[in-house]
Amino acid sequence: GRDVELGRIDPDVSALQRSLRREEWNVLLFIGKAASRTPEDDAGLVFQDDRGSSRYVSHSDLGVLLRDVRLQLVILDAAGDAVSRDIAGAVPQAVADGLVRAGVPAVIATSAPLGDEARAVLLGTLFGALTDGEPIERALGEARKALYTDGDLASALILTLHTRLADMRLLAEESLPEIVAQPGRSVLEELSRPPGAALAPEILRLE
């Protein structure tokens, strides 16, 4: 059958670059903080450096990093941090727009961080719909409906799709995966990160 292979990497840009260079990944899930330090800055994501300190990386620099790789989808589950609280929710959306302009086929961004349960519902439904051959727009719509019927309207309303794909299809049908768990763990457990690892990106390869 077709699988989803999960890989977790250290939350620093060098580790992400190495992983993207050595392996062909399709989906990047980032859980952490999106920031805009000043109104003139590119909005970006907060990673860590090799000393464990926060490292701001603009969406322009991320676009260069993600260029010429097989990445099909980036999911930004990020808290916005900006000089004004009024625009904090727009910061992840600005990062998403920048990544699409840089060539990432599709980005799903939140305007506020998701809880573990909401994230599990989103990812489980999203990848289930993609497995069924649905385009990304409809797959995200199914995830929103699942959140709504689960009693979480707030989470359903903060998800935004950014893409330039005319047909909304990320992968050829033969490339779509089935959802499988790592040994001894369910898929939802694998996709729901413990709070202590909030900054670590999750990489998923669809085979």
Side-chain angles (χ1 to χ4, degrees), residues 29-32 34 74-80 88-96 107-115 118-119 122 140 147 154-162:
L29 167 63
F30 178 89
I31 305 172
V74 174
I75 302 173
L76 299 178
D77 180 4
V91 175
Q93 312 301 323
V95 176
V107 181
I108 294 173
T110 64
S111 54
L114 294 171
R119 187 182 309 118
L122 164 66
L140 180 58
L147 287 164
S155 294
L157 293 175
I158 64 173
L159 301 168
T160 306
L161 174 64
H162 304 251

Side-chain angles (χ1 to χ4, degrees), residues 153-197:
L153 176 61
S155 294
L157 293 175
I158 64 173
L159 301 168
T160 306
L161 174 64
H162 304 251
T163 184
R164 289 184 173 180
L165 294 171
D167 62 1
M168 296 290 171
R169 295 193 179 276
L170 293 179
L171 300 168
E173 185 174 352
E174 61 270 15
S175 301
L176 290 171
E178 293 178 0
I179 305 298
V180 298
Q182 296 286 355
R185 302 193 67 182
S186 73
V187 170
L188 298 190
E189 286 174 329
E190 286 290 348
L191 295 177
S192 295
R193 179 181 316 286

